[in-house]
Amino acid sequence: MPFGPKARLVLMHLCSEAVRHKSPTIEIADNLTTFVRNMGFTDSGGKKGPLTAFKEQLNALAHCSIRISSTEPNKVKANQFFPIEEMEMWLSTDSRQPSLWPSKVTFSGVMYESLQRHAMPYNQRVVRAFQGRARKLDIYFWLNWRMHNIKAQCVISWDAIAEQFGSGSSRQRDFKAQFKEEITHIKEVLPKTLQLEFVVR
């Protein structure tokens, strides 16, 4: 299963490339290494190198399925799909130079259609600042989505926020304190022109 910040960064990069090139198929043989460097990681391989960890998360994404469910007063809806339909890799004829990245990744039709309808811009400076923190990345993308899609004031209960981000917290009081601190960190990194008006009580 994909996990951690690197899986989030890889998926973010693939989605961005698909939107930029207007194609579900992404050529990644070279640009993913550049992306890893831009995120502040070294481009070293080896058993414990960052590139190896990113490759492992890409492989995990290529073999996982996503399940989305929603609950309304009189209806429960669930959908399951594979984000990546195909991954193609050219193998080197030189055993001393194994292929670092797959050559191509193709999103499934469901995933690409969703990207076309719901893609949003992101701030690379903010993402890089939290490249090692999975939950801060999740909170930033959640806030980013709301900043680009909600035009009026929206009140969200602590129960709803805790249900989405509070796994691992045994007491809501502790979760509230940590969540407020994380929101403060994100606001400090956001450009002044994009500062969100997010009040936590």
Side-chain angles (χ1 to χ4, degrees), residues 26-175:
I26 307 103
E27 302 272 355
I28 62 172
D30 298 319
N31 66 33
L32 195 47
T33 299
T34 301
F35 169 74
V36 170
R37 293 194 197 105
N38 290 341
M39 283 293 103
F41 296 92
T42 64
D43 58 1
S44 60
K47 187 175 181 180
K48 296 184 178 181
L51 292 186
T52 302
F54 273 98
K55 182 179 179 181
E56 289 172 353
Q57 292 305 314
L58 175 57
N59 288 332
L61 284 167
H63 292 86
C64 80
S65 63
I66 294 177
R67 180 179 175 86
I68 299 175
S69 61
S70 61
T71 303
E72 299 177 15
N74 299 311
K75 181 174 67 174
V76 175
K77 185 178 180 180
N79 183 30
Q80 185 170 357
F81 63 94
F82 291 93
I84 294 176
E85 181 177 278
E86 182 179 356
M87 187 166 72
E88 181 180 295
M89 178 182 291
W90 290 97
L91 300 177
S92 172
T93 56
D94 187 345
S95 61
R96 296 169 298 177
Q97 296 181 344
S99 298
L100 186 60
W101 302 118
S103 302
K104 298 178 182 179
V105 169
T106 301
F107 280 128
S108 66
V110 174
M111 182 71 177
Y112 184 61
E113 181 184 350
S114 179
L115 277 176
Q116 289 178 303
R117 289 187 287 114
H118 302 299
M120 64 182 181
Y122 68 90
N123 186 289
Q124 184 167 303
R125 177 171 170 265
V126 177
V127 173
R128 175 168 175 161
F130 305 122
Q131 41 97 319
R133 305 296 296 274
R135 194 165 86 165
K136 283 187 179 180
L137 289 173
D138 288 343
I139 294 172
Y140 166 66
F141 288 126
W142 175 72
L143 290 173
N144 196 37
W145 170 259
R146 291 185 173 276
M147 284 190 289
H148 285 89
N149 290 279
I150 296 178
K151 306 304 180 183
Q153 182 177 354
C154 179
V155 178
I156 307 169
S157 69
W158 274 112
D159 287 340
I161 295 175
E163 184 176 354
Q164 187 164 357
F165 298 106
S167 60
S169 298
S170 57
R171 296 190 304 174
Q172 193 176 84
R173 183 177 64 183
D174 296 336
F175 167 72

Side-chain angles (χ1 to χ4, degrees), residues 184-198:
T184 299
H185 292 165
I186 292 170
K187 291 178 70 174
E188 288 173 349
V189 178
L190 279 172
K192 297 299 181 183
T193 55
L194 294 176
Q195 280 289 349
L196 62 155
E197 294 185 14
F198 190 89

